[in-house]
């Protein structure tokens, strides 16, 4: 739990936005950074990274990231 909470904190600190519990959104590629963070915390086997083309209610996120 401690590592998971630290991971979430670091993702938020890096600017990622929580889409759902434990699912974060970022408009730019960041696989290496997230993998590095997970590896540093020893939780890389518990992390799944996905690239998505579209997202429901994406306007909200585009607005948050200043992309509209």
């Amino acid at each position: 739990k401690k590592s998971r909470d630290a991971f979430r904190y670091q993702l938020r600190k890096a600017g990622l936005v929580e889409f759902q519990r434990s699912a974060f959104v970022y408009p730019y590629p960041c696989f290496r950074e997230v993998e590095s963070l997970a590896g540093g915390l020893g939780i890389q086997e518990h992390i799944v990274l996905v690239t998505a083309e579209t997202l429901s209610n994406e306007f909200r996120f585009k607005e948050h990231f200043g992309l509209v």
Side-chain angles (χ1 to χ4, degrees):
K1 182 178 178 346
K2 186 177 181 180
S3 293
R4 181 183 65 220
D5 291 342
F7 184 66
R8 282 180 161 155
Y9 172 78
Q10 290 297 327
L11 291 176
R12 287 185 191 108
K13 187 175 171 186
L16 282 78
V17 174
E18 200 161 7
F19 173 64
Q20 291 181 329
R21 183 143 174 85
S22 299
F24 288 80
V25 176
Y26 197 66
Y28 306 105
C30 59
F31 271 51
R32 278 188 244 141
E33 294 83 349
V34 173
E35 287 175 337
S36 176
L37 176 59
L41 292 168
I43 60 171
Q44 63 274 15
E45 66 274 3
H46 302 289
I47 304 304
V48 176
L49 300 173
V50 177
T51 298
E53 292 294 321
T54 59
L55 181 64
S56 64
N57 200 12
E58 68 183 48
F59 182 78
R60 177 179 135 218
F61 295 102
K62 284 182 177 181
E63 193 173 54
H64 174 83
F65 290 111
L67 299 174
V68 289

